[in-house]
Amino acid sequence: MNIQPIPQETPVRWAPDSISRVPYAVFQREDVLAAEQSRVFEGPVWNFLGLEAEVPRAGDYKTTLLGRMPVVMTRDADGEIYAFENRCAHRGALIVLDDFGNAPEHSCVYHAWRYDLKGNLQGVAFEQGVQGKGGMPKDFCKSDHGARPLRVTTFCGLVFASLDDDVPPIEDYLGDEVSGRLERVLGRPVEVIGRFTQGLPNNWKLYAENVRDTYHASLLHTFFTTFGITRLTQEGGVFISESGGHHASASYSRVMAGAESAYSQQAIRSENGELQIGDLSMLKSTDEIGDGIVLQILSVFPGFVLQQIHNCIAVRQIVPTGAETTDLHWIYLGYADDTEEMRRMRLKQSNLVGPAGFVSMEDGAVGGFVQRGIEAAGQLDSVIELGGHEAQTQEFRATEASVRGFWKAYRTHMDV
C-alpha cells in the first residue's frame, strides 16, 4: 500500500460564512501561531503592554511582550512613553534583561551596543577598531540600526502599542461603549498592588474565548453561584463592538423577576450546599462606582482583559508562548486615594481570582481540559451557538455572542 504523507501545512478548513463553528486545528498548529504573530499581533491592532503607573519616572522601564515579540516599554526624560522591540540590531540578543528597572540608557550585554530610551542606537563598542585596525565600515550609520520602534498610545492609564501604520486612533479602535466601560473602572489614578504570571496548558485563543464566555461563569465557578457573586439569573448583559473583537459583560446584584429558582430546577452543582466559607469577610464589598454592577469583564482584541469583581480590580495580558501553552500576566490594581480599609478589602478579594483563586482557579485548568480533549479532533469543529449565530450586543448573559465576536474579528485579521 502506497500511503502518502499529509502535508504539514494543509490549509485549515473553516465553515463558510459562519462564526459559530471553529476548527479545533487553530488551537493545535504551530504554522497557525506563526501566522497569528504577523497578521494579528503585528497587524492593525492595539496590543496592551502595561500601565503608565508601572513607569512613573524618567528612565523607568518594563519588559513585556507583543504576542511573542519581546518589547521594552520606557518613559523618557520628555515624559513620554516609548516602546521598541527588545532585540539588539547587531546579533539579535535581548537588549534589556530585567523585568523592571530604571536606567538612563540600555546596553546589550553581548557586544555592548548602546541604545537610548527611544531605542535609537547611540554607541557601538570599538566602532573605530583598535589602533586603526578593524572596526565598522566607514559607511556604517548608527541611525539606520536602532531597535525596531512601536507606535505607542495611552488610554485611561493603559499603554497600547502597534507595529501597523494603519491602525486607527485608540478611541476609534475601542469605540464609545468600550471606552466608557474602561473609563468606568479606570477613570481614576491607580496603583499596582500585586502582580504574577500564570502558565496555562492551552492555546491562547482558548483563554480569549473563556473571558468572553459569560455562560460558563456560574456553572464552572461554583463559588460564584453558591455565594451569589454572579448568576445568569441576575440582571445584566453583553456589549459587543462592531468588529466583534471587544466586549464588556456586566452583572448587577438585582435578580430577574421570576428567575429565582432557575438554578435549582437544573440541578446545578452549586445548589447542593456542600461549599462553605469560614471567613465571611471575603464576601464583604461596597458599590464604590455607584451603578450597582457587581461584576464587569471587558476585553480588547487581541489580548487585553479588565476585570472588576466587587472591589477586586485587575488587568490581564494574554501572551502566547507556544501552540498549546500561554502565559497570563495579572496586575492587581487599587485607586491611588484608597483608604487603608479599602486597600485591605481589595487585597482580601484578590484571593477570588488567579491560579489558586476561589473563583478562577478552574479557568487555569479547563483550557487544558479542552486542549487534551481535542487532541485527535483536528478535523472537527467546536459548536458556539448559545444565543444564536451572530455577534451582537444582547441584554442577557446566557449567550456565546461575545465568543463569536472574537472569531469574527479573528477571521477578519487572518483573512480566513
Side-chain angles (χ1 to χ4, degrees):
M1 181 181 295
N2 183 18
I3 300 177
Q4 298 297 317
I6 298 174
Q8 290 298 304
E9 296 189 2
T10 302
V12 175
R13 176 192 54 79
W14 287 83
D17 302 320
S18 173
I19 52 176
S20 58
R21 293 288 187 277
V22 176
Y24 290 130
V26 299
F27 303 115
Q28 300 171 319
R29 291 174 39 167
E30 290 287 347
D31 60 314
V32 172
L33 182 64
E36 290 166 352
Q37 179 64 35
S38 61
R39 297 186 184 184
V40 175
F41 294 103
E42 297 178 26
V45 303
W46 285 112
N47 297 271
F48 173 70
L49 295 185
L51 294 122
E52 291 187 79
E54 295 182 282
V55 289
R57 302 171 300 151
D60 284 350
Y61 65 83
K62 169 188 179 180
T63 54
T64 181
L65 291 138
L66 187 153
R68 303 181 77 180
M69 176 189 293
V71 169
V72 179
M73 179 182 98
T74 186
R75 191 182 292 272
D76 200 357
D78 61 7
E80 297 296 317
I81 294 176
Y82 297 88
F84 52 88
E85 185 177 11
N86 191 6
R87 176 183 59 82
C88 182
H90 178 214
R91 300 271 287 278
L94 292 173
I95 300 169
V96 182
L97 303 180
D98 294 333
D99 294 337
F100 294 92
N102 183 281
E105 64 177 13
H106 299 291
S107 179
C108 174
V109 69
Y110 198 0
H111 296 96
W113 283 33
R114 296 184 294 106
Y115 299 82
D116 67 15
L117 299 180
K118 297 182 177 71
N120 300 310
L121 182 62
Q122 299 295 295
V124 174
F126 300 112
E127 182 178 359
Q128 305 302 321
V130 177
Q131 296 187 343
K133 297 180 179 180
M136 301 299 287
K138 292 186 181 300
D139 62 353
F140 176 78
C141 181
K142 287 193 286 293
S143 62
D144 294 336
H145 297 279
R148 180 160 46 158
L150 281 65
R151 292 180 61 194
V152 172
T153 191
T154 61
F155 187 85
C156 283
L158 304 169
V159 181
F160 294 91
S162 181
L163 279 163
D164 194 283
D165 291 333
D166 295 326
V167 63
I170 187 65
E171 294 83 1
D172 296 339
Y173 183 74
L174 296 172
D176 291 341
E177 184 73 24
V178 171
S179 296
R181 298 293 186 93
L182 280 169
E183 290 171 336
R184 173 186 170 271
V185 179
L186 300 178
R188 296 160 55 185
V190 298
E191 293 179 346
V192 175
I193 61 175
R195 56 164 59 89
F196 60 86
T197 296
Q198 178 183 6
L200 301 176
N202 53 262
N203 185 276
W204 72 275
K205 298 183 293 299
L206 288 174
Y207 191 81
E209 283 191 331
N210 178 276
V211 296
R212 292 166 170 81
D213 179 357
T214 56
Y215 169 46
H216 85 278
S218 61
L219 300 172
L220 176 66
H221 304 314
T222 306
F223 193 97
F224 261 168
T225 312
T226 300
F227 299 106
I229 295 176
T230 184
R231 294 183 171 209
L232 291 177
T233 52
Q234 292 169 219
E235 293 183 10
V238 181
F239 169 80
I240 303 166
S241 66
E242 183 177 353
S243 70
H246 322 318
H247 100 292
S249 64
S251 172
Y252 292 83
S253 58
R254 303 183 298 269
V255 177
M256 293 185 290
E260 295 84 352
S261 61
Y263 278 80
S264 58
Q265 290 173 355
Q266 298 193 48
I268 302 298
R269 58 193 173 103
S270 60
E271 301 298 293
N272 61 22
E274 292 182 357
L275 189 63
Q276 299 181 6
I277 186 170
D279 182 3
L280 293 176
S281 66
M282 177 67 66
L283 304 176
K284 181 182 178 182
S285 65
T286 182
D287 184 6
E288 60 183 318
I289 297 176
D291 55 9
I293 294 177
V294 295
L295 184 148
Q296 175 181 287
I297 302 294
L298 179 151
S299 68
V300 175
F301 188 89
F304 171 79
V305 183
L306 168 69
Q307 71 161 58
Q308 174 244 321
I309 303 173
H310 284 315
N311 305 107
C312 181
I313 301 169
V315 295
R316 313 172 195 169
Q317 180 188 19
I318 306 172
V319 178
T321 57
E324 299 185 357
T325 57
T326 300
D327 276 353
L328 186 62
H329 299 307
W330 296 73
I331 307 173
Y332 290 116
L333 301 175
Y335 295 125
D337 60 358
D338 277 349
T339 64
E340 185 177 343
E341 179 183 11
M342 177 58 79
R343 186 58 56 85
R344 285 198 303 268
M345 182 184 296
R346 291 195 205 284
L347 289 170
K348 181 168 284 190
Q349 289 181 16
S350 70
N351 290 289
L352 291 171
V353 294
F358 293 145
V359 174
S360 62
M361 61 180 175
E362 298 95 343
D363 286 333
V366 74
F369 298 163
V370 176
Q371 198 75 56
R372 290 158 58 189
I374 65 174
E375 186 66 30
Q379 301 303 311
L380 302 177
D381 300 337
S382 64
V383 178
I384 310 173
E385 294 186 354
L386 195 74
H389 294 275
E390 304 301 321
Q392 297 174 340
T393 297
Q394 296 177 331
E395 296 181 353
F396 51 87
R397 290 173 296 122
T399 180
E400 292 168 315
S402 46
V403 180
R404 292 190 290 272
F406 172 82
W407 292 111
K408 175 182 177 181
Y410 178 90
R411 293 190 68 169
T412 298
H413 285 279
M414 292 289 286
D415 192 25
V416 292

